Amino acid sequence: MEFAFTQEQEMIRDTAASFLAQVSDSAAVRAAMATETGYDPALWSRICTQMYWQAIHVPEAYGGMGLGYVEVVAMMEQMGKHLLCSPFFSTVCMGVNALLIAANDEQKAQWLPTICEGNTTATLAFNGGVNRWDTTAVTATWRKEGDNIVLNGSYRYVIDGHTADLLIVAARQEGESSDIALFVLPAQTPGVTRAWLPTMDQARRQASIALQEVTVETAAMLSGADSGNAALTRIVDLAAIALAAEQVGGSQQMLDATVAYTSERVQFNRTIASYQAVKHKAADMMLQVEVARSAVYYAACVAQEALSGSTLGAELPEAASVAKSYCSDAYFAVAGDALQLFGGVGFTWEYDVHLYFKRAKSSEHMLGNGAYHRERLAAMLLD
Amino acid sequence: MEFAFTQEQEMIRDTAASFLAQVSDSAAVRAAMATETGYDPALWSRICTQMYWQAIHVPEAYGGMGLGYVEVVAMMEQMGKHLLCSPFFSTVCMGVNALLIAANDEQKAQWLPTICEGNTTATLAFNGGVNRWDTTAVTATWRKEGDNIVLNGSYRYVIDGHTADLLIVAARQEGESSDIALFVLPAQTPGVTRAWLPTMDQARRQASIALQEVTVETAAMLSGADSGNAALTRIVDLAAIALAAEQVGGSQQMLDATVAYTSERVQFNRTIASYQAVKHKAADMMLQVEVARSAVYYAACVAQEALSGSTLGAELPEAASVAKSYCSDAYFAVAGDALQLFGGVGFTWEYDVHLYFKRAKSSEHMLGNGAYHRERLAAMLLD
Amino acid sequence: MKLSFSAEDEQFRQEVASWLRDNLSGEFEKLKGRGGPGDEHSFPQERKVWEQKLAQGKWTCVGWPQAYGGRGCSIEQQVIFFEEYARARAPGRMGHIGEGLTGPTLIAYGTQAQRDKYLPGILDGTQFWCQGYSEPGAGSDLANVKTRAAFDQASGKWRINGQKVWTSLAHESDYCFVIARTDPGSVGHKGLGFFLVEMDQPGIQVRPIEQITGTSEFNEVFFDDAECSSEDIVGEPGEGWKVAMGLLGFERGVSTLGQQMLFQNEFDEVVRLARSNGAASDPVIRQRIARAHTELKIMRYNSMRMLSGQSTGDGSLQKEALIYKLFWATWHRSLGELAMDVMGPECEILDAPPYALNRLQSMYLFVRADTIYGGTNQIQRNIIAERGLGMPKEPRGTL
Amino acid sequence: MKLSFSAEDEQFRQEVASWLRDNLSGEFEKLKGRGGPGDEHSFPQERKVWEQKLAQGKWTCVGWPQAYGGRGCSIEQQVIFFEEYARARAPGRMGHIGEGLTGPTLIAYGTQAQRDKYLPGILDGTQFWCQGYSEPGAGSDLANVKTRAAFDQASGKWRINGQKVWTSLAHESDYCFVIARTDPGSVGHKGLGFFLVEMDQPGIQVRPIEQITGTSEFNEVFFDDAECSSEDIVGEPGEGWKVAMGLLGFERGVSTLGQQMLFQNEFDEVVRLARSNGAASDPVIRQRIARAHTELKIMRYNSMRMLSGQSTGDGSLQKEALIYKLFWATWHRSLGELAMDVMGPECEILDAPPYALNRLQSMYLFVRADTIYGGTNQIQRNIIAERGLGMPKEPRGTL
């Protein structure tokens, strides 16, 4: 048992941290926010060609770096801290995961290398527009028609859905209520329409996608070992863990910023950091950040085990719900406390606090909020 | 609109406060706690003959003082503050209310004067041993047999049930699932067995009551204007408001004691009251106490309107649930904070904090806790 | 205690309601539910016209004494007016600083000349006021005023230099009352003056502050040799703190019940949404809605206690008044969070790019100011503990 | 990072589990689940016999170096031992003060003579220790020691006078380690000594403290010219604070995972109850159970981080260790409340008069101590803010 980053993992994390400190400062984030794309394509290209992050946990056989989910999580934590605007989460933590879990070898060989080369972004669309994040959220349908498959339906809350090159979409067979399958298709496939959904959190883009009689070859149906329902569940759990890691990074940044600001800010001739009310709030923030981090690191290990097929991977649903529920609540609480302790300036557009405060809410609701995941855990425990 | 005590009400409250300060100090409470009866009969007799509290809101026509529910609530607040061990709540806030609401004129004339004379304590038994506090909690049954009525079934959580002279019990007609009726019977009626249920909060007694083929005359069935279901609902709401008032009194006492103790107690060469963490907790306690008090005073007015048949009385269920949910949570939070701020000594049997802490929990669960009443309010609002 | 209003008061309620029904229509229809905190940037010109309409009906300054041009309403009637005003979804008042703060201050502390000069414009809805209290870096430390006022013997005028911040609607105001230091060597409460300053002059610049909502209703106001006539200081030079504190006292009062009606409107919108999108069947949401409902109800009862206390003539600030700001601000912040959680993932989706928030989103973000301005929650707890419970004061530092 | 234990460690786990299965039976069967915080008053004599049974299996002091008679287990193995011990519901350890505090302290700071004298009795489960740290009125201000130790030249012994409080199991202990002031004029951290004191002597009186539960496991200990040999001071006179602080450091560590297994047993009991009485279908209770489960899980992960940090040899207290006390104490207190709310109105009903609490009731009341002893939640937040975040220290007062 060893529950700390290896030296190599620490190096990867530190490299990411210093790179992001350079390329994702407040000005860069605000510039990206102002575009419809939501990120700077030049920066993404630099990430793909210099840092190779898009390939981080793709097996070497498919052109990837062959690292694990612990490394993905370490990266996401840093991205959360620096609010990086990029299609990393959608491409790597949804698209690549979907292919790793649900695709057969041929499909992996077809799509993963193109992602690793940095030419292709990807995302996952499954939620038909409801406040649920499991297989019951899928409302789109598919049917066989000769040698082809025809897809119909719509999706909301699709991360980077309007810009991704490759879509992995979930649909249930027409007439069959329960069976879900996943399909991979280029976003430019005829019949696909996509629209940006502008969001309160401007540092990550959501979109709606509609499929109208979209015709794809049978080979577009992902057909790995798992059933479509099982695969989708695992893909969502892996994405939730990555998102929880981002939440930890954001929480840490809010704590750090709060300690720094309150140590400068003077009221009644004292730094406000010297007031016990401020200290104790900061202590509660630190508690939440550290507890959240413990949850995420454990979940990262479980995710890694799940991806490598180990028995410990069976804990994935629990670990994902533990991490996502705790981190969602912690990030929102910590960001809210930060805003409060910054006082008036925290309320301005000019200071960065509101960017994190908004990210806290958007990531809380994305893939299920605290109450949602707690009810999921309650069902595991009690029913 | 006038939302403050009248001078007369203030005088009644102040008289009660100074009387209770004398007769219900810590030693008196602890002595009463140690008895199975749970109160000092001599003190109760003194209350009945000198203070006449048992008759406070009984109309003068039945030998009462003819005051209102605002006065009852003012008394309960003081009793909560001083943890008075007495059958006041069971007799006045359950027994008398049940007769006032559910009895016809003859029944009132038969029973209310005996209570007013101070010879008779009373209580209400309706809960068959479930965690619900409305008509669905009734499991006992009644049937007609000739000119008589036969009662069967059992009750739990009956306040002073093992000592009360007069029982008002709820039962549903055999074979009829929904119709509830209330009956008044002397506790000594053959077939009635009663047992003390020792409780964590030792300053108020609970009992179980079993009825086995208990035969009473038809005249024992309370037959005022309301249906049995409507009457029971109103009786429970009135009792809940009285209990909420007691909770306010207890909360106030815990706040006062905490401010006094922390102003004396020195740590690191400072009174602990000078620490902002202590001050802010005390401020939050005061907020809860004052908000709870506002809820209770309003509910008292509504209760008064309900007893006098005014239209504003229609707000009774809402006002009761607002008051009971807020005050239950507030008392438990405030008493818990008090225990925390007293530190080690708050954890001892010797200090009185634990008595209030335990009362907070027992009164929270009695007649429905916060969550229970919030769900009731949600149903009013949303369904 | 009695809950019901007198028959006379109920008739007054009818009168208010019916006037609003008749007059809040036509060109004013579009103002319904607009303005107010978080939406002050909406329709400022039209809302000024509405103020004049109100004035025609004698519905401005209803609580002012008749001797000063007001209606001289009782507290009960003022409560009724504010309740009906909010119930009708009449627009956020452009004149509330003048009516609620400047007027009462001049009536209490001003000269007859000042009253004659300024009260009519407030009463008839033609002159609007903003307040120059907060300064950058001062925050909750109100006495830490750096803005200076020097009397220029040559011109016979005060010259004001410095900066104020968080000034609501400064760009829409004709006048600003300004706290400035008249005694250059003074610190804290001492040596301040209370000035009535015309906004339209070269020495004053207004710069909007862009808020978390992307909109601006607060401003920075820069004073660079701004002028103020020697007749426009309220009280003596050096006595500004007394006036300023008196003015803060006017902030509490009957308008709290009107504010609660606005809260009720927002809460009702959350309930409607929960019923329509299915969130009302989520037991966790049900608990939160019930809790919000509970506390909103009690907020009203608490205000009734405050007002009944006031009407008994007891001047000291009662406990239920001391906790009020902390209570409502925290409640309102929770309502914002509840609104978002009732919306679920839809809470993220804007009406339009770049940043068109819907009303609940705007409320959710804007309420974050409530626990900060007018004394943060932390400052409120100090005040409650120190004034309400007699606990030791926080020591000032020595930095 | 890796989650799994090595094959060797898993074999060790089997060994522990099987020994406990074989030996925690017969006369010891009734001790299952007994003892431990809130139940220390149960079966003290039988649990002392159990300690000797453990010693026979070489299961006392598993973490001590082999050179001092321990098993010299790795951290992983210690974790496994404590986990299996709790999983088997083996009784609360009577010897934990000696094993966890006295022993490590003597190994670190004691003389060889002290080790020779005291370690064997701890190892073989025949001698039991209590701790004399807290004093009345001192509370969290540990350095505010008033108990005095004076060296009596005539007898060649230290004479100790004063009072200690919150001494767990004092009446069942053979020895007490005592912090006392050796330098009469000193204050605070300076001038203290760390003494090993025999309990069975005329100068020591033990008075049980009746707790909120009606039971007593804490005591007041009165020292009235209690004697202590000159060889029984650890470190030099005046250096007691260093020893005491070192000892406090031993309180953290692998036993946290054993504590969590006890928490898990309690939590499982709450879950069983909820399933049997229908509370498990209440959505609000479900949320709270899930939250308790979540945090208990994370508590384990957090301890694993703490231990992995330790095993990497980094000596400084890491952030996840700084927050640990506040986290578990607050969690445990919430578990108590959850247990009562799962029971509903039945939570009030005792097993028997006058005050026979059932196990969950006892837990509920006893956990109120967790957020107080060993540094209140308030003190913990000071420590976190000051040491973890570098925020300014609370000033000491001048009373």
Side-chain angles (χ1 to χ4, degrees), chain A residues 19 23-24 28 39-48 84-86:
Chain A
F19 178 76
V23 302
S24 184
Y39 63 90
D40 173 6
L43 174 57
W44 177 243
S45 171
R46 196 174 149 200
I47 286 173
C48 291
L84 175 69
C85 298
S86 88

Side-chain angles (χ1 to χ4, degrees), chain A residues 131 156-157 198-202 265 267-270 332 336 340 344 347-349 354 357-358 361-362 365, chain C residues 137-138 140-141 166 210-212 333 337 341 345-348 350 354-355 364 368 371 378 395 397-399:
Chain A
N131 191 5
R156 282 178 86 76
Y157 324 126
T199 44
M200 203 160 19
D201 169 13
Q202 297 178 289
R265 168 87 169 154
Q267 290 273 272
F268 304 104
N269 292 331
R270 297 166 54 179
F332 186 72
Q340 179 69 22
F347 187 71
T348 63
W349 193 268
H354 75 103
F357 178 71
K358 289 167 182 171
K361 199 70 184 172
S362 79
H365 278 297
Chain C
S140 298
D141 190 359
W166 307 117
E210 192 177 7
Q211 297 148 191
I212 190 171
R333 188 171 71 186
E337 294 172 14
D341 295 345
E346 283 296 319
C347 77
E348 276 297 308
L350 304 181
Y355 215 66
Y364 159 67
R368 301 303 304 203
T371 57
Q378 285 69 39
T398 51
L399 280 182

Side-chain angles (χ1 to χ4, degrees), chain C residues 251-382:
Chain C
E251 276 195 313
R252 284 181 296 270
V254 292
S255 64
T256 61
L257 283 163
Q259 183 195 38
Q260 287 167 28
M261 288 300 301
L262 294 175
F263 292 170
Q264 185 74 52
N265 291 342
E266 292 168 349
F267 175 75
D268 290 345
E269 193 169 339
V270 172
V271 167
R272 268 195 305 278
L273 182 65
R275 295 174 72 146
S276 71
N277 79 355
S281 65
D282 174 340
V284 177
I285 293 289
R286 289 170 73 85
Q287 284 285 318
R288 291 172 64 189
I289 287 177
R291 189 185 298 269
H293 171 71
T294 297
E295 294 186 4
L296 180 55
K297 284 277 170 189
I298 307 180
M299 205 183 295
R300 184 177 146 87
Y301 313 153
N302 200 73
S303 286
M304 289 162 66
R305 269 179 76 202
M306 285 160 62
L307 293 171
S308 295
Q310 283 187 350
S311 67
T312 60
D314 180 346
S316 72
L317 198 57
Q318 295 168 92
K319 296 196 169 186
E320 67 272 18
L322 272 175
I323 55 100
Y324 186 70
K325 164 82 203 310
L326 178 60
F327 184 47
W328 76 253
T330 307
W331 180 88
H332 207 200
R333 188 171 71 186
S334 298
L335 182 70
E337 294 172 14
L338 174 59
M340 293 304 98
D341 295 345
V342 162
M343 294 174 92
E346 283 296 319
C347 77
E348 276 297 308
I349 315 299
L350 304 181
D351 281 353
Y355 215 66
L357 302 164
N358 67 37
R359 290 184 57 78
L360 287 180
Q361 289 167 336
S362 174
M363 185 271 287
Y364 159 67
L365 291 175
F366 199 82
V367 294
R368 301 303 304 203
D370 289 342
T371 57
I372 296 170
Y373 82 86
T376 63
N377 276 10
Q378 285 69 39
I379 294 288
Q380 293 297 331
R381 291 192 183 94
N382 280 350

Side-chain angles (χ1 to χ4, degrees), chain B residues 65-109:
Chain B
M65 295 175 72
L67 296 171
Y69 216 68
V70 171
E71 286 79 357
V72 172
V73 156
M75 306 286 302
M76 280 295 288
E77 184 181 343
Q78 294 307 313
M79 292 178 193
K81 187 167 169 64
H82 294 278
L83 267 188
L84 175 70
C85 298
S86 89
F88 179 90
F89 175 65
S90 51
T91 300
V92 175
C93 306
M94 299 184 113
V96 167
N97 281 342
L99 293 168
L100 288 176
I101 284 172
N104 60 28
D105 290 346
E106 279 172 54
Q107 290 166 330
K108 287 181 190 168

Side-chain angles (χ1 to χ4, degrees), chain A residues 167-376:
Chain A
L167 305 178
I168 288 122
V169 304
R172 53 183 80 243
Q173 192 166 4
E174 278 182 27
E176 307 285 327
S177 65
S178 66
D179 280 3
I180 282 170
L182 292 163
F183 303 86
V184 54
L185 60 158
Q188 302 308 329
T189 308
V192 176
T193 52
R194 313 188 288 167
W196 171 32
L197 294 172
T199 44
M200 203 160 19
D201 169 13
Q202 297 178 289
R204 180 154 51 215
R205 290 286 177 268
Q206 297 187 29
S208 62
I209 295 182
L211 308 180
Q212 196 173 16
E213 293 287 299
V214 173
T215 304
V216 295
E217 291 179 14
T218 316
M221 182 188 284
L222 297 184
S223 47
D226 284 353
S227 75
N229 293 50
L232 179 58
T233 303
R234 290 174 73 197
I235 295 163
V236 173
D237 280 339
L238 289 172
I241 291 168
L243 204 51
E246 186 192 90
Q247 291 173 321
V248 169
S251 306
Q252 181 70 59
Q253 174 57 23
M254 281 295 89
L255 172 58
D256 295 347
T258 299
V259 171
Y261 180 77
T262 58
S263 300
E264 292 293 325
R265 168 87 169 154
V266 171
Q267 290 273 272
F268 304 104
N269 292 331
R270 297 166 54 179
T271 65
I272 62 174
S274 74
Y275 288 96
Q276 202 179 29
V278 174
K279 287 168 62 182
H280 282 201
K281 210 180 252 302
D284 285 335
M285 291 163 77
M286 183 176 123
L287 182 145
Q288 291 173 84
V289 172
E290 292 305 322
V291 171
R293 179 169 285 126
S294 295
V296 160
Y297 287 178
Y298 186 85
C301 293
V302 171
Q304 180 53 40
E305 305 273 354
L307 280 169
S308 66
S310 139
T311 53
L312 268 173
E315 282 188 40
L316 184 65
E318 180 181 87
S321 283
V322 163
K324 184 61 169 56
S325 65
Y326 192 91
C327 297
S328 290
D329 290 355
Y331 192 9
F332 186 72
V334 167
D337 286 344
L339 202 161
Q340 179 69 22
L341 294 182
F342 269 75
V345 298
F347 187 71
T348 63
W349 193 268
E350 180 190 349
Y351 278 64
D352 286 346
V353 182
H354 75 103
L355 303 179
Y356 290 85
F357 178 71
K358 289 167 182 171
R359 168 58 58 84
K361 199 70 184 172
S362 79
S363 63
E364 176 191 348
H365 278 297
M366 179 58 57
L367 305 181
N369 70 0
Y372 175 86
H373 282 283
R374 277 190 293 277
E375 174 52 38
R376 187 177 183 229

Side-chain angles (χ1 to χ4, degrees), chain B residues 156-157 200 267 340 347 358, chain D residues 138 140 212 346 348 355 371:
Chain B
R156 281 178 87 76
Y157 324 126
M200 204 160 19
Q267 291 271 275
Q340 179 69 23
F347 187 72
K358 289 167 183 172
Chain D
S140 298
I212 190 171
E346 283 296 318
E348 276 296 307
Y355 215 66
T371 56

